[in-house]
Each structure stands twice: as C-alpha cells, then as structure tokens.
Amino acid sequence: MKYWLMKSEPDDISIDDLRDSPNKTMSWQGIRNYQARNFIRDEIKVGDYVLFYHSSCKVPGVVGIASVVSQPQLDASAFEPQSRYFDPKSNPDKPRWWQVDIQFTEKLNQSVPLSQLKSDPALQDMVLVTKGARLSVQPVTAEEFTHIVMLGK
DNA sequence: GCCAACGTTGGC
DNA sequence: GCCAACGTTGGC
C-alpha cells in the first residue's frame, strides 16, 4: 500500500466538498502535470492512502485523509471543449490525462499547516518540503503519513 | 497582488 | 537537443 499527498484549492474543492459528495467520492479530474499524471496512471492503486492538502488559501496544509477507490481512468474532461480542463492535444485515441476516484475517510481534528510541516524535523525529507512545492500529486512515506495524522489528532 | 520556482513550448 | 520566452503554481 502506498501513501500520497494530493492538493486542492479549497475554493474549488475542499475536504468538506469531498465529504459531502455522493458516496463521499469524487473523480479527481484536472491533473495537467506530467509527473503527477505518471503517478496517477502508473503507480496509484485501489486502497492507497491520501493526505488531502489545501493549497492557495489562507492557511495551506493537510486537512484530512482519503483513499483511492478506483483504477486509473481516462480524464474525459480533457476532451470537452467547454471544460476548464480541456486539452486539445488529448483525445480518446491518444489520451494524455488520467484520473482516479478518491473517497473521504476523515477530517483531521486540527489541520496541519505547511508552516508546521516545514519546521518539523521528522518531515524534512517530504517531497512537499524539498522539491514538490508545485507538484499536485506526490508520494509520501508511511512514516510521514503516520506522523502527520498524529499531528492532526 | 507579487514574485520565485519550476514546467512547457517552440525556434533554431 | 539547447535554451529563451512564456505560462502556471502557490506561498506570502
């Protein structure tokens, strides 16, 4: 089982939006970065654990836990001209972008802000802290995952 | 709103 | 294949 961190802008989709979705599940559409796409397409498996991260907001940080509940699927929003995620270079014969479904598990009792992640000696090797500042889907170690969840209790 | 960091594009 | 120009992300 693997562990991931996924970012979302809460003004767009927040942890509460995920919790309030049908079956507490959403298709994670709109990934338009190749490195993130490769993780989604090639490495993510059903049952993997996800730290849900709020970015581009007042207090960025980890706010909850989710899990992966589908195999990778084509991201059909790339084919829809009216979609904000439309990509004319992707088409069903030559798909470029992929998605998975994720399901709400729980909201942390207290969110763990980026400032805390950055200052915690146990988390200095996190992709988020080192080089992944702009990567919207990134791997997390089991130790990092457990540690962050503990901080949020 | 600014801007640093980084990714992508495209000319050569 | 290099690299300049440009676009995007995301913290502050």
Side-chain angles (χ1 to χ4, degrees), chain A residues 112-127 129-130 141 143-145 147-148 150-151:
Chain A
V112 183
L114 177 63
S115 57
Q116 189 179 355
L117 301 177
K118 280 181 171 171
S119 63
D120 191 319
L123 301 173
Q124 289 318 290
D125 294 333
M126 272 192 85
V127 175
V129 174
T130 55
T141 68
E143 291 75 16
E144 290 161 351
F145 185 94
H147 188 73
I148 291 169
M150 184 261 294
L151 295 173

Side-chain angles (χ1 to χ4, degrees), chain A residues 6-7 11 14 16 33 153:
Chain A
M6 293 193 193
K7 294 183 191 173
D11 289 345
S14 71
D16 292 340
N33 167 284
K153 291 293 180 193

Side-chain angles (χ1 to χ4, degrees), chain A residues 13 20 26 31 33 35 41 47 70-71 86 91 97 101 108 114 116 122 124 136 145 147:
Chain A
I13 297 169
D20 297 340
M26 295 188 69
I31 293 165
N33 167 284
Q35 216 180 335
R41 187 189 58 187
S70 80
Q71 300 294 330
F86 177 60
N91 63 71
W97 305 115
D101 293 351
L108 296 178
L114 177 63
Q116 189 179 355
Q124 289 318 290
S136 61
F145 185 94
H147 188 73

Side-chain angles (χ1 to χ4, degrees), chain A residues 48 104 125 149 151:
Chain A
D48 282 0
F104 176 87
D125 294 333
V149 170
L151 295 173

